Amino acid sequence: MAVSEKAKTVTVVVQAFLWTAFALFIIAFVFSSAARKHVAQMAKEANVKSIGAKGVEFGTLEEKTLQLVQENAQLRQKQNPVPVNQDMKPDPAAAAVLTALQQVNPQPAREEGFWVYVGEYNEQKHAFRNPPNFDLNAPPEVGATITATPGDVYKRDRKPYQDANGKWQLGRIIGVVPKGKSLNVLETAKIEGENQYDFNSWVRAKDSD
């Protein structure tokens, strides 16, 4: 065999080896747990909603905004925990962004409404332990109209619930009720409070016409 032919053969073998090594590296990267987490994080930051036959689908501005508000609320909850099954006051910046988004891009009213936290009620003293989020002296009844005072209130997609480990969790933030806004109560719920005499009042409501 001529020297040139041997060189070509060696080159082909080396190229095949390198391509095989590269392919194995890509496969290992794709299937490794760390890689999947890294790619998922990059997709999340880029607001990628899905990748399919039609290509890459990006989430909407509203979805990204709600995601950022949710993450901010979770961070604040870790830094300054509120009692179980109670909701925190919306961060002024987050409330302003959500209010502006709702005004610029109003969504059709949800038939099932949304959940809001009213306050912690002491059944023994027949009074709220702290000023409630609405103009009330007692938990409202179904059909009542309530007004957000003295500030904004988060809208959540569900009332507090217990996860698979029995730990209480709050629903996902889906908007904000601005101060002074009125709601119609669709459903009420008494959720576990700080002690046997207290309960946290939550209501499912919709915007008042």
Side-chain angles (χ1 to χ4, degrees):
M1 182 181 292
V3 174
S4 59
E5 292 180 350
K6 291 183 178 180
K8 288 181 180 180
T9 302
V10 171
T11 300
V12 170
V13 171
V14 171
Q15 287 179 338
F17 173 78
L18 291 175
W19 275 111
T20 301
F22 179 72
L24 291 174
F25 173 78
I26 294 298
I27 292 173
F29 179 83
V30 170
F31 287 95
S32 70
S33 176
R36 288 199 300 272
K37 291 180 180 178
H38 184 60
V39 171
Q41 181 62 30
M42 287 192 298
K44 180 180 179 182
E45 292 174 354
N47 201 26
V48 174
K49 188 175 183 180
S50 65
I51 301 176
K54 296 182 179 180
V56 179
E57 180 183 355
F58 291 89
T60 64
L61 174 62
E62 180 185 22
E63 291 171 337
K64 186 61 177 179
T65 300
L66 290 174
Q67 174 192 319
L68 293 174
V69 170
Q70 182 73 36
E71 291 173 354
N72 177 64
Q74 291 173 342
L75 178 61
R76 290 177 57 219
Q77 169 67 13
K78 290 181 179 179
Q79 295 174 338
N80 300 289
V82 297
V84 63
N85 297 331
Q86 296 184 21
D87 207 352
M88 66 180 63
K89 302 290 184 182
D91 176 84
V97 169
L98 289 175
T99 300
L101 184 64
Q102 290 170 174
Q103 293 173 343
V104 173
N105 186 30
Q107 298 295 311
R110 292 162 54 97
E111 186 68 25
E112 68 275 19
F114 46 82
W115 286 89
V116 292
Y117 177 60
V118 177
E120 183 181 16
Y121 191 72
N122 186 308
E123 291 188 288
Q124 190 175 45
K125 297 182 178 179
H126 302 288
F128 284 102
R129 184 172 290 277
N130 297 296
N133 289 330
F134 297 87
D135 59 340
L136 298 164
N137 294 318
E141 300 292 335
V142 172
T145 298
I146 59 178
T147 302
T149 57
D152 306 316
V153 184
Y154 278 133
K155 295 179 180 179
R156 294 189 180 266
D157 68 340
R158 63 190 297 186
K159 61 187 176 182
Y161 64 97
Q162 288 180 296
D163 60 21
N165 297 319
K167 185 177 180 180
W168 284 98
Q169 304 286 350
L170 297 180
R172 181 170 51 86
I173 295 172
I174 57 174
V176 68
V177 181
K179 175 184 177 181
K181 178 70 175 179
S182 294
L183 307 176
N184 292 330
V185 177
L186 304 175
E187 180 183 349
T188 65
K190 295 181 178 181
I191 310 295
E192 182 178 304
E194 288 283 272
N195 57 59
Q196 61 179 330
Y197 301 113
D198 294 352
F199 68 83
N200 290 301
S201 174
W202 285 78
V203 301
R204 182 169 61 88
K206 65 178 182 178
D207 294 329
S208 179
D209 298 329

